[in-house]
Amino acid sequence: MQRPDAHFMRRAIELAEKGRGAAAPNPTVGAVLVKHGQIVAEGYHTACGQPHAEIECLRNAAENGITPADCTIYVTLEPCNHYGKTPPCSKAILDAGIKRVVIGLKDPNPKAKGGADFLREHGVHVETGVLEAECRDLVADFLTWIQTPYPYSILKLASTLDGKIATRTGHSQWISGEESRKRVHELRKKVDAVIVGGGTFYADNPQLTCRLEGVEQQPLAVIVTKRLPENPEQFTLLCDRPEQVIFWTNEKSALSDAARKLQSSGSTVLAVPEQNGELDLAAGLSWLRQEKNCLYTLCEGGGKLALSLLENMLVNEFQLHMAPKIVGDHSAPDIFSGRSIATMDEALQLRIIKTELSGDDVIVTLRRQEM
């Protein structure tokens, strides 16, 4: 891989991120057109149903008076090779006279792949695999949607430097700083559902809303618990927006008087199958995707639920908000607990894909090792 290729692909990745969310359920894709070592046109997939990144880039070239035939196009995902809501980008590139195409990731979608081969067959020089890992991370949500029945699941937890999520008395407000808390609301704005465990629901009485300006639709609130509330009027969620609250529980609780009371107020009580005495979280996530059309979910804890999601490989992205604070109390609750392992080989292995400062905090974004 030539160093300039990586430089230009990195810019295409930056552009692709601008379409994050709006492009769903399509992948986020960016493209740049380069002539004599300079970027002369740019484009990204702005929204589902709108032109793809390559087309936007070619349009930008026309606006700038650039002849594409003299250029190399860099695109984060293999140009599509089928007629969907838009014509194939592979043909548009060929018609533009472009002689060199550099691709980050080959398209994993069997309906759209084949653009690279089509271009090669028509005499275009095509290179693939430039910043492939970064381009794969760019479309991790899209890969989830085409390869699994689940939404793209984000796990967010806040902890101190010594891995505590509260004091021994349960006091946790606030571990992270104001800027990090704002980031959480930005996350809530982008997802279709926010998921918490029963412990968090009962201890914190959360609102689970996005409190940023301009929010038209609040995310669904999903509570994972075998113990349903007997007095719904004590909980903010069930007073303010009961029709947007979903309880995942076991079959026994789903048939209880508490369940009927919740349902009469507009909430949904879903009987989730149990495996080894634990609720089948995969079944719940699949239900959210199929029945509620949820593409993105955000889990905000607690630790037991978070660990279960990680152990069952149901976390696509883990954001750890780490505050520069130390509790130093072994009785304070840990961010994760409940496993018993003998060697480090048994530890859950994640990989860091990004670290960034957020006020005084550090946000570490991770994925599973195999993703």
Side-chain angles (χ1 to χ4, degrees), residues 115-137:
D117 290 339
F118 170 85
L119 290 167
R120 287 190 181 108
E121 289 167 1
H122 289 81
V124 178
H125 179 72
V126 179
E127 298 175 34
T128 62
V130 175
L131 297 188
E132 183 174 356
E134 290 91 331
C135 290
R136 184 177 296 277
D137 282 337

Side-chain angles (χ1 to χ4, degrees), residues 305-337:
L305 173 61
L307 181 60
S308 183
L309 286 167
L310 283 168
E311 287 183 316
N312 287 283
M313 296 186 291
L314 295 172
V315 174
N316 303 109
E317 179 180 323
F318 175 23
Q319 292 193 17
L320 173 60
H321 294 210
M322 192 161 52
K325 301 175 182 178
I326 297 173
V327 174
D329 183 349
H330 68 87
S331 297
D334 297 311
I335 186 170
F336 297 115
S337 63

Side-chain angles (χ1 to χ4, degrees), residues 42-346:
E42 299 181 333
Y44 66 95
H45 187 36
T46 59
C48 181
Q50 295 302 308
H52 290 180
E54 300 93 323
I55 306 305
E56 293 284 10
C57 188
L58 291 172
R59 287 181 176 179
N60 186 228
E63 293 169 357
N64 296 340
I66 301 298
T67 301
D70 300 328
C71 304
T72 295
I73 191 168
Y74 293 78
V75 60
T76 57
L77 186 67
E78 180 181 11
C80 65
N81 197 45
H82 78 306
Y83 283 88
K85 293 183 179 179
T86 59
C89 293
S90 55
K91 187 175 186 304
I93 290 172
L94 182 66
D95 292 343
I98 295 173
K99 300 297 188 294
R100 181 173 182 251
V101 178
V102 181
I103 296 169
L105 177 70
K106 296 199 71 174
D107 198 329
N109 186 355
K111 294 181 180 179
K113 68 179 184 179
D117 290 339
F118 170 85
L119 290 167
R120 287 190 181 108
E121 289 167 1
H122 289 81
V124 178
H125 179 72
V126 179
E127 298 175 34
T128 62
V130 175
L131 297 188
E132 183 174 356
E134 290 91 331
C135 290
R136 184 177 296 277
D137 282 337
L138 182 67
V139 294
D141 50 2
F142 178 67
L143 294 176
T144 299
W145 300 328
I146 65 171
Q147 294 174 353
T148 79
Y150 312 128
Y152 181 80
S153 299
I154 303 168
L155 170 64
K156 173 266 161 186
L157 295 174
S159 81
T160 60
L161 286 177
D162 54 339
K164 301 298 182 179
I165 58 174
T167 66
R168 66 167 64 197
T169 65
H171 187 265
S172 61
Q173 296 183 346
W174 295 100
I175 292 175
S176 52
E178 183 177 350
E179 188 170 326
S180 294
R181 296 198 297 275
K182 182 180 178 182
R183 289 280 294 268
V184 174
H185 287 281
E186 290 171 352
L187 270 176
R188 290 179 183 177
K189 185 178 180 179
K190 297 175 182 178
V191 302
D192 304 298
V194 178
I195 305 172
V196 297
T200 299
F201 174 72
Y202 287 109
D204 296 348
N205 189 16
Q207 298 180 46
L208 304 183
T209 53
C210 173
R211 294 189 282 280
L212 299 178
E213 293 184 3
V215 177
E216 297 180 359
Q217 178 69 38
Q218 292 291 349
L220 297 171
V222 179
I223 317 300
V224 185
T225 179
K226 295 180 182 179
R227 178 171 65 94
L228 298 178
E230 299 287 344
N231 301 300
E233 64 277 3
Q234 295 180 354
F235 298 92
T236 302
L237 265 173
L238 298 174
C239 292
D240 292 352
R241 52 188 190 114
E243 70 286 347
Q244 292 181 307
V245 180
I246 300 167
F247 286 90
W248 293 353
T249 191
N250 60 12
E251 185 175 358
K252 180 179 179 181
S253 292
L255 296 173
S256 66
D257 290 338
R260 285 187 284 273
K261 190 173 183 179
L262 289 167
Q263 291 166 326
S264 68
S265 67
S267 297
T268 299
V269 178
L270 179 68
V272 176
E274 291 185 88
Q275 291 187 346
N276 301 319
E278 300 295 332
L279 296 179
D280 185 350
L281 301 176
L285 287 169
S286 180
W287 182 86
L288 281 180
R289 170 86 179 275
Q290 304 304 319
E291 300 298 325
K292 296 297 183 179
N293 196 31
C294 289
L295 293 177
Y296 296 96
T297 62
L298 172 64
C299 176
E300 296 190 33
K304 181 180 178 182
L305 173 61
L307 181 60
S308 183
L309 286 167
L310 283 168
E311 287 183 316
N312 287 283
M313 296 186 291
L314 295 172
V315 174
N316 303 109
E317 179 180 323
F318 175 23
Q319 292 193 17
L320 173 60
H321 294 210
M322 192 161 52
K325 301 175 182 178
I326 297 173
V327 174
D329 183 349
H330 68 87
S331 297
D334 297 311
I335 186 170
F336 297 115
S337 63
R339 302 186 80 221
S340 179
I341 64 174
T343 69
M344 288 304 295
D345 292 338
E346 300 172 78

